[in-house]
Amino acid sequence: MNNRIFLALSSLTILANFAYAGSPPADAIRGKTLYKIYCTQCHGLEGDGYGINVADMEVLPRDHTETKEMKTRTDKDLFKAIKFGGKAIDKSVLMPNWDGNLSDRQIDDLVEYLRVLCCTKTGK
Amino acid sequence: MFHSVRKGAVPGSLKVLLSAMACWLPLATALAEDVGQYVSKSCAGCHALTQAEIKNADVSERARRKGPPLYYAGDKFKQKWLERWLAKPVRLRPAGSFPPDHTIVTDDGDVIDRATLKDHLALPAGKTKLVAGYLMGLHMGDKPLLNSQYKPKKISKMLGSMDFNKFKGCSACHRDAADNGGVSGPELYTAWSRMQPEFLISYIKDPVAWDVHTMMPDKHLKEKEIHKLVDYLKLIGEAAQ
């Protein structure tokens, strides 16, 4: 078996074990790819808020691994922040709106991945 | 081509001209084909030369890109800049083509892993004009995206900078000076000498239309707001020259 497929399958199983018994974990895996492409530049490769762009930023991007804080946000809150950006939720304009780049489906995938990142062991 | 011109319909002087062209044309075409072949061979491995390569791929394509797309080079670059750069390339994207590939996690947060960034190949002097000319012939051409009728206006450095940094948040990803701003996007303090004004406006207005997987967010800015940002890019670009 090709290494990549094997990796994808094994992370699928891990995800399923931790948080997704029942629901399709493929969402979070697609979300992870999207997160790497669009979000890590600011939120960091590990999602801790310390991406390569933060040196000159006046507001730090949210630490998506901070379980306590992230648990206070509903999926709808997260969806809205990603789709319409910081301005729409009375936060910094430095968090861009992604509605022009990503479909609702892709934003759902990102929300699923944020849940893995914030609140499961695989996310850490 | 010339076969379709009826003999009797061609006046003598034009006939001479046409036959002169006929022996010149194959040579020119051969040269152009050579450049095309050269670019396919030497550049296509890292640069998308057709829009389809990107449009028909799924989004993970962006993570595999080894260089920025060139299929709209003719809409984007100023030819003079292109000729100079191809002969003597300098870094434009501080963190490379796909920043996560050149990032390492440290205790002080993520930093650029400079050791993984390679210098761009430089073209030999005899090739730069030919290749630049070829690239300037590449256009996207499926939508009239370049019609803003932009007329530069004056803007103060302070207001422009506040707009770029604070209000529009461009500096989160772009540098407006060698020592200010984010590093995931191309530097913009040299944008004015590098790119055509109409392209700057169009890309800021609708980056996704140019590149479906661009990392640049579409901020839904109004035409006027964009003109102001480009006035600022002009101001800092001319100062940098």
Side-chain angles (χ1 to χ4, degrees):
Chain A
M1 192 178 350
N2 166 321
N3 261 346
R4 258 224 183 100
I5 299 178
F6 177 72
L7 264 179
L9 281 180
S10 51
S11 37
L12 264 172
T13 338
I14 296 168
L15 282 175
N17 285 346
F18 278 101
Y20 287 93
S23 66
D27 297 3
I29 291 185
R30 283 195 305 268
K32 184 174 182 171
T33 302
L34 294 169
Y35 192 84
K36 185 173 179 189
I37 297 172
Y38 296 100
C39 320
T40 57
Q41 49 186 325
C42 293
H43 289 278
L45 283 184
E46 294 185 341
D48 59 4
Y50 286 102
I52 47 168
N53 282 341
V54 306
D56 290 335
M57 277 168 74
E58 283 179 5
V59 180
L60 273 190
R62 161 132 329 282
D63 177 354
H64 290 145
T65 64
E66 202 182 27
T67 310
K68 245 189 171 160
E69 186 76 19
M70 286 295 284
K71 276 196 166 151
T72 66
R73 312 288 201 272
T74 64
D75 285 359
K76 236 175 142 179
D77 293 337
L78 297 177
F79 185 93
K80 191 171 169 197
I82 301 168
K83 180 158 179 165
F84 301 111
K87 221 160 138 188
I89 52 164
D90 291 322
K91 301 216 159 170
S92 169
V93 293
L94 295 177
M95 166 62 194
N97 56 290
W98 292 100
D99 57 343
N101 303 66
L102 302 172
S103 66
D104 283 3
R105 168 83 188 274
Q106 289 176 310
I107 297 173
D108 280 334
D109 292 344
L110 277 163
V111 172
E112 289 299 317
Y113 178 63
L114 286 180
R115 289 302 178 204
V116 175
L117 200 53
C118 76
C119 309
T120 67
K121 281 189 191 156
T122 36
K124 294 288 156 78
Chain B
M1 18 195 300
F2 295 124
H3 311 289
S4 65
V5 181
R6 271 185 302 123
K7 273 208 170 114
V10 185
S13 55
L14 191 57
K15 231 183 215 165
V16 176
L17 185 72
L18 282 181
S19 57
M21 276 173 75
C23 41
W24 179 79
L25 258 175
L27 185 72
T29 320
L31 262 176
E33 263 166 23
D34 275 356
V35 189
Q37 267 168 13
Y38 173 77
V39 170
S40 305
K41 206 172 76 214
S42 318
C43 322
C46 295
H47 294 286
L49 299 173
T50 61
Q51 189 180 19
E53 291 165 53
I54 282 179
K55 221 170 180 169
N56 299 341
D58 77 276
V59 65
S60 63
E61 163 276 326
R62 181 66 189 83
R64 289 190 303 272
R65 258 188 228 177
K66 297 203 177 73
L70 290 178
Y71 55 80
Y72 49 79
D75 301 318
K76 173 175 179 176
F77 296 113
K78 287 185 174 163
Q79 185 153 0
K80 277 241 167 64
W81 176 88
L82 191 55
E83 287 172 9
R84 258 185 285 128
W85 191 86
L86 289 173
K88 235 182 139 194
V90 290
R91 183 152 296 287
L92 305 163
R93 291 162 187 74
S97 168
F98 187 57
D101 282 347
H102 304 285
T103 302
I104 38 174
V105 180
T106 74
D107 289 343
D108 294 330
D110 293 5
V111 294
I112 297 172
D113 184 4
R114 287 181 211 287
T116 62
L117 291 170
K118 298 210 174 69
D119 288 341
H120 198 273
L121 64 91
L123 290 184
K127 278 224 163 71
T128 52
K129 272 213 155 78
L130 227 51
V131 171
Y134 179 82
L135 293 178
M136 292 307 290
L138 300 178
H139 296 277
M140 208 165 71
D142 67 342
K143 247 198 204 173
L145 288 165
L146 300 158
N147 56 358
S148 73
Q149 285 157 18
Y150 166 69
K151 283 206 194 72
K153 283 209 183 86
K154 277 208 180 113
I155 187 165
S156 82
K157 176 125 191 239
M158 196 186 70
L159 282 181
S161 159
M162 255 173 39
D163 199 29
F164 186 89
N165 287 280
K166 279 216 162 69
F167 303 143
K168 304 298 191 305
C170 312
S171 61
C173 305
H174 293 285
R175 302 208 147 207
D176 63 349
D179 59 356
N180 180 64
V183 289
S184 63
E187 64 182 34
L188 290 183
Y189 52 98
T190 54
W192 187 257
S193 56
R194 188 157 60 93
M195 293 175 276
Q196 301 168 32
E198 291 290 315
F199 175 82
L200 292 172
I201 287 163
S202 181
Y203 199 92
I204 298 167
K205 195 189 315 180
D206 194 352
V208 180
W210 292 94
D211 171 359
V212 280
H213 303 140
T214 179
M215 287 164 51
M216 156 102 176
D218 173 356
K219 295 218 175 201
H220 311 306
L221 298 176
K222 294 194 197 78
E223 190 78 33
K224 261 204 178 142
E225 297 178 291
I226 298 172
H227 288 196
K228 237 165 93 182
L229 285 165
V230 173
D231 288 338
Y232 177 62
L233 295 180
K234 176 171 187 281
L235 181 80
I236 57 174
E238 287 174 344
Q241 260 170 0

